Amino acid sequence: MSRTTPRRRGRGALATTLVALSLLISACSGSTDSQDKAQAPAKPGEKVDLRFWSWVPGVDKAVDKWNATHPDIRVKLEKIPAGSSGGYAKMRAALKSGNAPDLAQVEYQEIPSFLLENGLVNLSEYGADKSRSKFVDWQWQQGVFGSAVYAIPQASGPMGMFYRSDLFEKWGIAPPKTWDEYAQAAEKIRKADPKAYIGTFPPGNSAWFTALAWQAGAKWFGVDGDNWTVNIDSPETLKVAAFWDEMRTKKLIKTEPDFANGWYKDLQSGAITSWVSAQWGDAIISGNAPKTAGKWAVAPMPQWTKGANVSANWGGSSTAVLKGAKHIPEALKFAEWLNTDPESVDLLLQGGYGWPAGADAYKGSSLDKPSEFYGGQKYNEVFAEADKNIDTSWKWIPTIAATYQHLNDGFQAAVAGKGTFVSAVQQAQKQTVEDLQRKGLKVSTGQ
Amino acid sequence: MPTRTRAPRRRRNLAPVAFVAPFLLLFLLTFAVPIAYAVHQSVMDVEYTGPLGLGGSRTAFVGLSNYSHALSDDAFLRSVGRVLLFAVVQVPVMVALAAGLALLLDSASARGVRFFRAAYFLPYGVPGVIASILWGFLYVPGVSPLVDGMRHLGVSVDLLGGSTVLWSIANIVVWEFAGYNVLVLVAQLRTIPAELYEAARIDGAGAWTTVRYVKLPLLRPALVLTTVFTIIGTLQLFAEPLVLRPVSSSIDSAYTPNLSAYNEAFTNDNYHLAAAEAVLLALAAFVLSFGFLRLINKRGGDA
């Protein structure tokens, strides 16, 4: 799934016990390095069972569809908690204990982490490269390292701006085309209604901030020979951080957490009048503020350069084949079907899994229609256009989860009056370099 | 001068061993082994080799480097300072409140004792996670009748802000555990023989004097017990900040030592560092609890 959903995490103790137990078991089982030989496909008529771990809403229906149409390859779906809510911890524990499922949901930013754990199967050896043209190129590249393909892309989150067209119209504000205009609009909204804000800067959700830096042209991570490169504190990022620092100090935005009760309430009441977000945000708004139906519209993301047309991506997820899979050719076949078959994609879309990674999957799908909730606008056209204007070279590092936490901690401190967003970014750069070095990885910092 | 003949010790009596075995086995499996394993994990670390670290990995002995990393991590140290501050306020408040309620329940003029005892104890039956969700609703502006009501009265208060959220958490913890402590203290009060009260009355002691010179001194063992429980519980603060984190911008990933260890393990995939933090926390709890017990026993060895 491509979104960061709100969640209650109460399974700590149980998860700890389970993981501790499985670690214990893996500690006894010794070496984790397994000699891989390319597996041959199953013989005709042979029945194959695949295990698949995912948390994407609607994926159960797609799996049912597959099982109904592919009697020889039966996929058994096991729903797990969303990745950062414990799903990844579960997968890592399973990989360590040699009991991983054949297939699993892995978000784009987590692919390098699993690569580092030696947890993903190189699918190039099974002819995955042939499928490249079936997918949006930048999304395909998210699973490619060197010449090897490690994941089949599923969905992403091209970004735009949701806004309350009724309120904007009432106050005589045009949807901002640039970030300057965004700041001006924010000021007008504050004057028009003392309760209303243009939006929130969610200090605990730096994946959102990352997407904004991506749009501004930052390239935080990369690979340079044997080194990972880290350039979080590049001028582009600092520009974005300074922009939000100013918005914050002028009190033009809220700084409440997103995907939380207060925020949902603000969406319902009109205290928050716009949201720069990914395409999958549509279902978040319509699901949590159903009474605002017909009052929303979608515009492209505000730009840093007037007249430009640059978008970014927030979220994004793939189907990966995990090390230890017993039927790799069949698993690959299922992964491709799941993410390209029109019927499967439609079932996933109904669940709200995000923006399809399949090339041209949008045309003629259930997204390709005017929406009543969004005032009759065929709003997905905005995102279809955005999907073409995302910097395709963006890469992730194996310690991204820690980087997000560093940014969150810094942003939260800034909101509490200690430091600024800019200093949080600079601090996160230092901490991220240390994170990688602690794991024994070589790091260079570019400029 | 050995007058007694020694008992024949040929045939050892195996009965005690058999009785203790189930406990010992569980103790070893669920207590000793995990602790030993955590200590073992805390002195190891994963090292990645090859270009980009993708050439494989091995787990190697690194001595105390995880400990030195934890102890030089500002965020972790701040979290320790935070729970200590929390403890300094929370422990006296909790113990005083619980003792006060217990004495009220025990006083001669108390009515509806059974009802109140059950009512005080009820929150303890609510799991900490649920309690935190419930209180979370009462803290979030726009959703909370509490916050909105106060705003109508002209008091604007942010219960989830940087300077307040720790005390909002303290409120949840008191709500959850005060009743439990009351019950422990009430049980102890019940063991005080009626003759003592009678004697006190004959000596002309009023209600207040009875509390001061009869009840409180005899309540001491239970007070010590609840204090130790509260100290340990405070250091282990976890579920409440974890649950409130999505609704508060002021709870960071290392808000309490437990939360820090949890995030290092399950978000950042640093199990070895998490193990070191967990061991440090266990040591701190050990030192503080036994330190408190020693202090108490030295001061009032006569009790």
Side-chain angles (χ1 to χ4, degrees):
Chain A
M1 192 179 58
S2 51
R3 78 186 55 144
T4 312
T5 37
R7 55 205 168 231
R8 300 276 175 223
R9 282 174 275 189
R11 311 173 198 88
L14 182 62
T16 315
T17 321
L18 290 177
V19 171
L21 274 178
S22 51
L23 285 177
L24 201 62
I25 292 159
S26 71
C28 305
S29 68
S31 151
T32 49
D33 278 283
S34 53
Q35 264 74 49
D36 300 304
K37 290 183 293 215
Q39 289 176 7
K43 294 175 205 81
E46 190 187 340
K47 293 240 198 286
V48 166
D49 280 317
L50 298 174
R51 280 167 72 215
F52 177 28
W53 283 3
S54 175
W55 61 86
V56 171
V59 73
D60 42 348
K61 297 209 176 80
V63 167
D64 288 346
K65 183 97 206 162
W66 164 272
N67 284 334
T69 49
H70 298 76
D72 286 350
I73 307 174
R74 214 177 67 87
V75 175
K76 191 165 163 273
L77 175 73
E78 291 165 39
K79 284 258 185 171
I80 57 167
S84 51
S85 307
Y88 294 136
K90 189 174 156 84
M91 285 183 210
R92 290 199 180 102
L95 279 167
K96 277 183 190 144
S97 63
N99 189 28
D102 301 87
L103 296 132
Q105 192 79 30
V106 179
E107 286 162 294
Y108 291 152
Q109 75 273 12
E110 285 286 331
I111 292 173
S113 312
F114 277 94
L115 220 49
L116 195 67
E117 308 269 322
N118 193 20
L120 303 179
V121 172
N122 177 358
L123 297 172
S124 293
E125 289 171 15
Y126 297 88
D129 299 81
K130 289 197 296 273
S131 311
R132 180 177 172 168
S133 61
K134 291 185 199 161
F135 295 92
V136 175
D137 191 52
W138 80 263
Q139 299 203 50
W140 181 260
Q141 295 300 334
Q142 294 283 312
V144 176
F145 281 80
S147 58
V149 178
Y150 289 99
I152 302 298
Q154 176 164 83
S156 69
M159 292 180 79
M161 186 174 107
F162 298 93
Y163 67 99
R164 282 286 295 271
S165 55
D166 60 328
L167 296 176
F168 272 56
E169 204 164 298
K170 188 170 103 187
W171 298 327
I173 301 168
K177 289 200 170 58
T178 63
W179 286 107
D180 276 342
E181 287 178 25
Y182 181 88
Q184 288 156 16
E187 213 163 345
K188 280 187 201 158
I189 291 170
R190 293 299 298 127
K191 279 189 190 130
D193 181 346
K195 279 200 192 110
Y197 287 84
I198 195 164
T200 185
F201 181 98
N205 191 348
S206 42
W208 179 79
F209 177 82
T210 307
L212 296 191
W214 185 340
Q215 187 217 12
K219 289 185 204 304
W220 284 5
F221 312 118
V223 164
D224 175 20
D226 289 356
N227 293 2
W228 294 93
T229 59
V230 178
N231 286 305
I232 299 174
D233 59 349
S234 68
E236 293 86 356
T237 317
L238 295 178
K239 175 175 72 179
V240 178
F243 175 83
W244 291 101
D245 262 332
E246 199 181 331
M247 296 290 283
R248 173 174 61 86
T249 46
K250 286 185 175 170
K251 301 201 183 322
L252 296 178
I253 40 149
K254 285 204 156 192
T255 48
E256 66 177 355
D258 53 3
F259 304 104
N261 293 330
W263 181 76
Y264 292 130
K265 175 88 187 189
D266 285 346
L267 281 181
Q268 293 157 10
S269 69
I272 279 180
T273 54
S274 83
W275 185 27
V276 175
S277 176
Q279 186 272 343
W280 44 257
D282 61 350
I284 306 271
I285 299 178
S286 61
N288 288 291
K291 287 198 181 133
T292 57
K295 295 176 180 170
W296 291 86
V298 180
M301 234 179 145
Q303 299 292 314
W304 288 103
T305 319
K306 200 164 187 163
N309 186 16
V310 187
S311 185
N313 176 64
W314 179 15
S317 199
S318 72
T319 313
V321 179
L322 299 189
K323 270 282 162 67
K326 289 171 193 71
H327 307 286
I328 297 169
E330 289 76 19
L332 175 61
K333 199 172 159 193
F334 168 74
E336 286 180 356
W337 176 90
L338 180 71
N339 299 315
T340 54
D341 182 84
E343 279 188 274
S344 167
V345 168
D346 224 50
L347 288 168
L348 291 171
L349 280 175
Q350 283 168 31
Y353 83 137
W355 186 260
D360 301 322
Y362 159 71
K363 278 259 175 312
S365 74
S366 59
L367 297 177
D368 193 9
K369 281 182 208 132
S371 153
E372 264 179 54
F373 190 90
Y374 293 95
Q377 187 188 4
K378 215 167 146 184
Y379 68 98
N380 279 306
E381 283 176 340
V382 174
F383 295 109
E385 183 63 24
D387 199 32
K388 293 181 197 143
N389 297 305
I390 296 171
D391 180 357
T392 59
S393 64
W394 184 276
K395 288 277 182 202
W396 301 99
I397 47 162
T399 54
I400 184 65
T403 301
Y404 279 163
Q405 292 215 350
H406 300 321
L407 284 169
N408 289 345
D409 293 349
F411 291 160
Q412 290 178 339
V415 166
K418 283 171 237 137
T420 60
F421 293 160
V422 167
S423 64
V425 166
Q426 288 160 337
Q427 183 68 10
Q429 163 77 18
K430 276 192 217 115
Q431 289 168 315
T432 301
V433 170
E434 283 169 19
D435 289 340
L436 288 165
Q437 283 169 343
R438 260 182 62 78
K439 292 204 183 262
L441 307 180
K442 293 197 193 101
V443 189
S444 55
T445 53
Q447 298 100 9
Chain B
M1 132 179 130
T3 48
R4 278 182 176 211
T5 50
R6 261 195 201 139
R9 293 190 73 191
R10 287 273 156 73
R11 289 177 60 221
R12 265 233 180 93
N13 196 349
L14 285 175
V17 180
F19 279 120
V20 171
F23 163 76
L24 213 60
L25 195 71
L26 279 176
F27 176 79
L28 280 176
L29 267 178
T30 62
F31 200 77
V33 171
I35 287 180
Y37 184 65
V39 173
H40 173 250
Q41 288 285 292
S42 69
V43 293
M44 309 292 279
D45 210 352
V46 182
E47 280 170 7
Y48 296 89
T49 53
L52 297 174
L54 301 182
S57 65
R58 62 192 191 92
T59 308
F61 178 77
V62 294
L64 296 177
S65 90
N66 285 320
Y67 289 92
S68 69
H69 185 264
L71 290 174
S72 61
D73 179 1
D74 287 343
F76 181 69
L77 292 180
R78 269 202 305 276
S79 76
V80 174
R82 194 175 286 122
V83 288
L84 288 181
L85 170 69
F86 187 86
V88 165
V89 177
Q90 168 82 8
V91 173
V93 166
M94 173 72 96
V95 174
L97 183 72
L101 287 174
L103 288 169
L104 280 178
L105 280 183
D106 195 59
S107 76
S109 58
R111 292 185 202 290
V113 168
R114 284 183 170 203
F115 168 77
F116 281 110
R117 212 165 50 199
Y120 293 154
F121 188 66
L122 206 60
Y124 184 69
V126 178
V129 171
I130 308 294
S132 306
I133 293 173
L134 291 176
W135 278 101
F137 277 111
L138 291 173
Y139 291 157
V140 174
V143 181
S144 160
L146 220 68
V147 177
D148 290 354
M150 286 207 275
R151 185 172 296 158
H152 278 295
L153 295 174
V155 186
S156 112
V157 57
D158 180 6
L159 295 173
L160 296 166
S163 55
T164 48
V165 74
L166 190 63
W167 311 118
S168 299
I169 293 172
N171 173 52
I172 301 179
V173 176
V174 169
W175 184 81
E176 278 177 282
F177 293 104
Y180 172 79
N181 290 331
V182 167
L183 217 64
V184 172
L185 296 174
V186 165
Q188 177 87 32
L189 281 171
R190 284 288 140 101
T191 64
I192 298 175
E195 300 89 74
L196 279 178
Y197 294 137
E198 211 177 326
R201 223 174 17 249
I202 291 169
D203 287 347
W208 193 238
T209 326
T210 313
V211 166
R212 173 69 186 82
Y213 293 101
V214 180
K215 290 190 179 180
L216 278 182
L218 289 168
L219 205 51
R220 224 177 89 106
L223 281 173
V224 170
L225 184 76
T226 51
T227 307
V228 170
F229 279 171
T230 309
I231 291 175
I232 295 175
T234 302
L235 286 176
Q236 292 181 343
L237 200 60
F238 176 67
E240 293 79 9
L242 182 75
V243 171
L244 288 184
R245 214 176 143 207
V247 296
S248 169
S249 293
S250 308
I251 300 177
D252 64 17
S253 61
Y255 196 71
T256 69
N258 246 342
L259 202 58
S260 172
Y262 170 83
N263 276 311
E264 286 298 347
F266 299 113
T267 309
N268 299 350
D269 201 25
N270 290 329
Y271 287 95
H272 303 284
L273 178 59
E277 291 186 354
V279 170
L280 284 172
L281 183 63
L283 277 177
F286 184 84
V287 167
L288 282 179
S289 317
F290 281 85
F292 172 74
L293 284 176
R294 275 200 76 146
L295 190 79
I296 288 294
N297 290 338
K298 254 189 201 157
R299 259 223 229 130
D302 54 311

